[in-house]
Amino acid sequence: MKIALIAHDKKKKDIVQFTTAYKPILEKHELFATGTTGKKIMEATGLNVHRFQSGPYGGDQQIGALIANNEMDMVIFFRDPLTAQPHEPDISALIRLSDVYEIPLATNMATGELLMHALDRGELNWRQFVHGKKDD
Ligand SMILES: O=C(CO)COP(=O)(O)O
């Protein structure tokens, strides 16, 4: 599975804690992240993560493009609901596209943990049948 990992600044410690705890599951999959999130995850866990641009510089849109091509299977996005972000339109677009393409999306730690356990039980294996498909 292709998994996107994203966290706003006040949630960076959470995503590092999360990816450390779930490394045994995550290391079986192809990981992608926005720039700074990916850097911190790689430094803390040693996981191999494909880094895009930083979120405010287009990283969210790069991940959104993969979603639109059915080339992303899950998004773990620990967003900060209490801090205004300069790239709010990009964030909204990414979340909207996750719903358009019915991509499992976690915007907080609790939901992220549920998705990790579901992933590990094989409950998302259906995603392999939609890779690369475009809507008719
Ligand atoms: O702003 C972000 C997502 O909207 C995260 O970007 P960074 O991982 O580069 O901090």
Side-chain angles (χ1 to χ4, degrees):
M1 297 293 173
K2 299 176 186 283
I3 302 172
L5 302 162
I6 310 167
H8 286 149
D9 287 347
K10 290 182 181 176
K11 299 291 184 177
K12 292 281 198 296
K13 287 184 181 177
D14 287 353
I15 197 91
V16 167
Q17 180 185 9
F18 179 84
T19 51
T20 301
Y22 288 101
K23 181 177 178 182
I25 297 173
L26 289 168
E27 65 188 0
K28 302 174 191 172
H29 300 278
E30 191 174 359
L31 306 177
F32 303 81
T34 45
T36 309
T37 300
K39 180 175 184 291
K40 289 189 178 293
I41 290 171
M42 292 174 73
E43 288 172 349
T45 67
L47 285 165
N48 184 30
V49 181
H50 176 89
R51 294 172 59 206
F52 289 119
Q53 296 285 356
S54 179
Y57 289 88
D60 294 343
Q61 296 218 14
Q62 288 176 292
I63 292 171
L66 288 174
I67 292 172
N69 285 321
N70 262 320
E71 294 171 2
M72 187 60 66
D73 298 304
M74 177 187 295
V75 177
I76 305 290
F77 186 173
F78 291 174
R79 62 178 181 160
D80 176 357
L82 299 175
T83 305
Q85 303 289 333
H87 57 306
E88 196 63 47
D90 293 11
I91 297 164
S92 299
L94 175 61
I95 292 171
R96 189 185 72 82
L97 284 174
S98 296
D99 291 342
V100 169
Y101 289 90
E102 298 179 338
I103 302 291
L105 165 68
T107 57
N108 58 67
M109 179 91 76
T111 309
E113 295 206 77
L114 289 174
L115 288 184
M116 286 295 102
H117 293 297
L119 178 64
D120 200 39
R121 290 193 299 262
E123 293 172 13
L124 297 172
N125 288 348
W126 56 271
R127 283 288 317 161
Q128 63 193 335
F129 300 108
V130 299
H131 281 164
K133 285 190 177 178
K134 302 286 193 292
D135 278 358
D136 298 333

